[in-house]
Structure formats: C-alpha cells, structure tokens
Amino acid sequence: MDISTIFFTIVSVVAVVSALLVVTCKNPINSALSLILTFFCLATFYAMLEAPFMAAIQVIVYAGAIMVLIVFTIMLLNIRADANKKSFHNVPLGIVVGIITLLTAGSFLARGKVSDLPGQITPNIIHQVGHTELIGAVMFTEFILPFEITSILLLAAIVGAVILAKRNLS
Amino acid sequence: MDNVILGLPLYYYIAMVAKVLVAFVFVLLTVAYATYAERKIIGHMQVRIGPNRVGPMGLLQPIADGLKLFFKEEIIPAESSKFAFLVAPLVALVPAFLTFAAVPFGSTIEVMGYKVPLQIAAYYDTDMGKVVDLNVGVLYVLAMASLGVYGIVLAGWASNSKYSLLGGLRASAQMVSYELAAGLAIIPVFMLVGSLSLQEIVKAQEGFRWFIWSSPMTFVAGLLFYVCALAEINRTPFDMPEAETELVSGFCTEYSSMKYAMFFMAEYANMVTVCAITATMFLGGWDGPFSRTMPLLSPLYFIAKVYFLMFVTMWIRATVPRYRYDQLMTLGWKVLLPTSLALIVLTGIAGFMGFNTFFG
C-alpha cells in the first residue's frame, strides 16, 4: 500500500464516523461540529483528487460560512440536548431511500469500469496550468450562461432576505 | 499524485521538517515575546515603565506569566457543555498556526546544491525549473481565517454564562462581516498578479514594486485589508467580543489556567499571521535591498516587516478607543464592504484602460 492509500483510508474512516455522529449526537452543537469535520474530510478528498480550488472553496463556503450561520442559529435559539426524547420518525422511509441509493450505486458500479478513466484534464495539465486557472477559463467562457443565471438567482435571494428582514420598518 | 508524494528525493523531506520546525518555533517565540513587547510599548506610550521585575529589563516576564498560568487551578463550570468547552481553545489556536504553512517567509536558498524555497507548502520542481507552491495559497489563508471564529463561538456557547454567550455572539457576527470585506480587499492584488499563489504574488512585487505604493487602488486595498484583519482577529479598536468594561472578559470569562493561556496565545498567533499575510500581499513579502542576490537576507526582511506591522497593531491599541457595537457593524457593512467592491471595479476599469501599476 502506498502512502496516499493509507492516508485516504484514515480520512475516509474519520469522514464516515463523523457523518454518523452528525445524526446520532443528542447535542445539536456536537452534531454541527461533526458536520464541520465531515466537510473537512470532503475537502481533503478534493485535495487528493488534484482539485485544490474545490478543497479551499469547500472549507471557505461550507465550514467557514454556512456552518457558522448554523452554529449561530443553534446558539441564538439556545437549543439544548434532549436526552430523553427518542424519535423514530421517518426511519422506514430512510431505509427505503438508503436501499434505493445503494442499488443505484451498485448498478453503476456493475455497469463497467469505474477507475482509471482519464478525461481531458489530467493531473499533468493541472500541474502545468493550475486548477484555479482551468476552472476560471471554463466558467467564464463555456459555462457563462449557468454562471449568470446563478448570480441572478443569488441576487433575488439577497433582495428577498432584505425584504423579509425589513418588513416591519416603515 | 504518487510522483508528487513519493517521487521526491530525501532532501525534500528533511527540508520540509526543518522548515516546519523553524516556522513553528519562530511563531511560538514571537507569540511569547509579543505579549512582553505589547506591555512595554503601550507602557512607554502611556508614560509608564511596563514590566521590569523579572530578569534584566523584565525580559523573562513571558516565561513567568506562562509558568503562573500553568500552575493555576483548572476550573470547568459544572453546567458547561464539557466536550465543546474542552475543544474550544484548541479550535481557536490551531488555524492560526496552520495559516503559516502557505506563507513564504523567504526566497529560495541553496543548501548543499539543493534549492529549498523558504515556504512550508512549496518545493523546487527540477523538471519545470521553478518553485511550485500551493496553487490556491490566498484561498487557503482565507479558509483558515474563516475557521478562527469557531473557537470563540464554541467557547462562548459552551461556558453557559451570559457574558461568554454575548461575547461569542458578537464575535461571530463581527468576524463573519469583516471576513467578507477582508476577502474582497485582496481581490485587486490577484487581479494584477493573475495568480492565487503567494509565491507568485511576492514575485510580482520584487524590486520594490510593492503593492502598497504601486497603484492607488492597491494602496487603499492594503489599508482596508489591514483594518478588516484587525477586526477579524478582535484587536482593539474592534475588541468587542471581550470588551472588559461590558462583558467582564467576553468569551473567555469562564476559562482558567492553560485554557485561558491558549486563547491568549491564539490571539497573538493570529496577530502574527495577519501581519505576515499583510506583509506578503502588500509589503512585498521577503523583498528588500539585495534580497535577489543574497537570498539569505530575505527572511530578515520578512521578519522586519512582520514586526513593524505588529508594532503598528500595538500602537493602534494604545491610541484608538474601542468602537461601539453598532458603529462597528455600520463601518463594516456600509463603508468597508462597498469600498472594497468599488476597488475591484476600479482596478478592472484601470486595467482595461491600460493602467495596471505605476511600474507597468
């Protein structure tokens, strides 16, 4: 086993354990912390897949911004651990969805080759040009329309948030 | 991937370990003596003497402080959330140190025929004949900065005390707002450099073409970034999260002994980091007279710039009174954020008209 396989195994164990802790922790803050850890493991996977830009954005956006807001909300509402409450709602539905996902993934795996399928962008090109440069070049030429649509969508969301927050002001 | 991790010669690993050790020890020592320097400098500015009892000129004061905190009783509030309370100081301290992995603290030196770039996350690629560092260096720095908030927020929440909670809430609101302005303020820099790699940013400033004076836009951006960075690390005049006069000691009210010391270390480590990043982005990093011909001088220039910026930080603390909370938020959202957005547009327009910097 080479060093990157060992590293990958360790990180994936942490990822799975922390993902399980997100749903099993009684204390909402501990759940949120586990979710941050899961995001970190995802960022590590991106970095190992030669996608440093995705790794950095994963940490900045998910761990650094979205989770701060979630932790903030938990703190403001002062949700404490509910140790006695046991909830089994949606467990059957969860089992059904889980099995369907597993079968879908299995069918994709069974259909053909899943590894060593190099696309246009090889690790060599990433090393030469740089990952950020590659993403930027494609995003502002080939995918400019989806990019602009997303920005209009975000603008609408910001305007909506301001209107909701300032509704009571004359 | 394998050829990056395993295909490199042994000297690469030795150099890496050595660089990590040197940078870590340097930051730790700076953190310890920054507390002493701050007390001395502010003392002199307020016509006091400052610490002068322990050792010659009080030079052993940081060690005495450390020992004192180490032997204090460790108190964990009974009603606190134990796990979050214990990890919060660690979460505050670690990102501050991690940032240093991407900061270039010197140019490339030659050791026994091998070229070693003085930056932890970098190596000299003999095939390409250039130094390869983190392609997303700036984003990495921003990512680590955005994690610093968790330590404070967790500490505030886990202590289960109203002062701590208020401090934590203020901290998260403040850091999230100023992080945006700080992130936007450095965009003009990489618009001009055309790269997110810190190595490239320093290279673009070589020969005194530092961004602080190379164009009006980057000058304002530099000041803006420094102010936002001060707010993000909760230094005076933006130290709302631990405003003594209102919140006892803010988020670290319930902490004692080594855990309190760790928050203290995190604050100063953040200060070193922020000054190092400002020096790299706007003050030319390790650039200085003869730094290209004599690479061994370059770390000294870098350290001098970092220490100068740290001195300015302490100077500001001795001079400017604390902002009121609403003033702080108004400044962040209504002044600094629009200004940084305007700078991005102006840099773009100027570049389109053919003006990048005074140096071409």
Side-chain angles (χ1 to χ4, degrees), chain B residues 6 9 131 196 271 284 297 347-348:
Chain B
L6 284 179
V131 174
L196 289 174
M271 190 168 130
L297 278 176
T347 315

Side-chain angles (χ1 to χ4, degrees), chain B residues 76-100:
Chain B
I76 299 172
E79 287 294 302
S80 64
S81 307
K82 297 285 177 309
F83 179 69
F85 190 83
L86 294 178
V87 294
L90 289 171
V91 176
L93 191 58
V94 171
F97 281 103
L98 280 182
T99 315
F100 253 85

Side-chain angles (χ1 to χ4, degrees), chain A residues 60-124:
Chain A
I60 292 176
V61 174
Y62 286 96
I66 293 179
M67 285 315 291
V68 170
L69 287 181
I70 291 182
V71 171
F72 200 68
T73 318
I74 296 174
M75 280 167 55
L76 270 180
L77 299 177
N78 205 13
I79 308 168
R80 286 278 160 177
D82 37 13
N84 304 319
K85 215 166 85 184
K86 280 210 169 69
S87 121
F88 287 106
H89 66 277
N90 284 343
V91 169
L93 188 67
I95 292 173
V96 171
V97 171
I99 289 174
I100 290 174
T101 318
L102 197 68
L103 287 178
T104 321
S107 76
F108 276 120
L109 281 173
R111 206 176 284 172
K113 222 172 145 211
V114 283
S115 62
D116 290 326
L117 291 170
Q120 278 180 312
I121 312 291
T122 58
N124 232 343

Side-chain angles (χ1 to χ4, degrees), chain B residues 5 8 18 24 56 69 84 86 90 103 167 174 211 217 225 278 289 312:
Chain B
I5 290 181
L8 292 157
F24 189 64
L69 281 168
L86 294 178
L90 289 171
V103 176
Q174 174 180 337
F211 280 125
M217 275 75 82
F225 178 73
T278 316
V312 175

Side-chain angles (χ1 to χ4, degrees), chain B residues 57-213:
Chain B
M57 293 157 64
L59 271 172
L60 297 177
Q61 187 69 41
I63 298 164
D65 285 344
L67 279 177
K68 187 192 84 176
L69 281 168
F70 196 73
F71 286 113
K72 289 274 177 183
E73 187 188 352
E74 179 95 56
I75 296 166
I76 299 172
E79 287 294 302
S80 64
S81 307
K82 297 285 177 309
F83 179 69
F85 190 83
L86 294 178
V87 294
L90 289 171
V91 176
L93 191 58
V94 171
F97 281 103
L98 280 182
T99 315
F100 253 85
V103 176
F105 52 89
S107 67
T108 309
I109 58 165
E110 265 195 59
V111 184
M112 295 184 295
Y114 296 113
K115 287 190 169 169
V116 181
L118 290 178
Q119 179 186 15
I120 293 172
Y123 66 96
Y124 186 82
D125 194 321
T126 37
D127 296 337
M128 282 193 255
K130 63 167 188 172
V131 174
V132 179
D133 76 331
L134 204 55
N135 177 248
V136 287
V138 180
L139 293 181
Y140 173 82
V141 167
L142 290 178
M144 289 304 131
S146 67
L147 295 177
V149 65
Y150 282 115
I152 293 180
V153 169
L154 277 182
W157 180 81
S159 304
N160 199 15
S161 129
K162 53 179 174 287
Y163 298 120
S164 302
L165 187 66
L166 278 173
L169 286 176
R170 280 182 177 190
S172 46
Q174 174 180 337
M175 286 164 101
V176 168
S177 355
Y178 277 83
E179 194 181 291
L180 268 176
L184 290 173
I186 47 179
I187 288 184
V189 169
F190 46 80
M191 280 170 88
L192 294 174
V193 177
S195 172
L196 289 174
S197 134
L198 288 166
Q199 196 82 37
E200 297 289 322
I201 289 176
V202 176
K203 203 172 279 172
Q205 303 178 72
E206 253 179 343
F208 283 99
R209 293 180 299 171
W210 301 355
F211 280 125
I212 192 74
W213 53 57

Side-chain angles (χ1 to χ4, degrees), chain A:
Chain A
M1 257 206 301
D2 65 354
I3 196 162
S4 50
T5 317
I6 299 168
F7 188 66
F8 174 76
T9 317
I10 296 170
V11 179
S12 29
V13 167
V14 176
V16 170
V17 170
S18 61
L20 282 175
L21 282 175
V22 175
V23 284
T24 51
C25 270
K26 298 280 184 198
N27 191 325
I29 286 274
N30 291 352
S31 279
L33 288 180
S34 316
L35 192 53
I36 297 166
L37 194 58
T38 317
F39 287 148
F40 256 101
C41 296
L42 285 181
T44 318
F45 292 146
Y46 281 130
M48 290 183 76
L49 289 168
E50 309 268 349
F53 183 75
M54 289 301 293
I57 293 298
Q58 172 83 16
V59 175
I60 292 176
V61 174
Y62 286 96
I66 293 179
M67 285 315 291
V68 170
L69 287 181
I70 291 182
V71 171
F72 200 68
T73 318
I74 296 174
M75 280 167 55
L76 270 180
L77 299 177
N78 205 13
I79 308 168
R80 286 278 160 177
D82 37 13
N84 304 319
K85 215 166 85 184
K86 280 210 169 69
S87 121
F88 287 106
H89 66 277
N90 284 343
V91 169
L93 188 67
I95 292 173
V96 171
V97 171
I99 289 174
I100 290 174
T101 318
L102 197 68
L103 287 178
T104 321
S107 76
F108 276 120
L109 281 173
R111 206 176 284 172
K113 222 172 145 211
V114 283
S115 62
D116 290 326
L117 291 170
Q120 278 180 312
I121 312 291
T122 58
N124 232 343
I125 296 177
I126 293 179
H127 279 294
Q128 295 280 322
V129 186
H131 191 241
T132 321
E133 286 85 344
L134 283 169
I135 286 190
V138 178
M139 186 181 272
F140 291 107
T141 52
E142 203 175 324
F143 296 103
I144 187 74
L145 188 66
F147 177 80
E148 291 296 337
I149 291 173
T150 315
S151 54
I152 291 173
L153 211 62
L154 285 174
L155 184 68
I158 293 170
V159 172
V162 171
I163 288 175
L164 281 179
K166 295 282 180 186
R167 184 179 278 168
N168 296 329
L169 294 183
S170 53

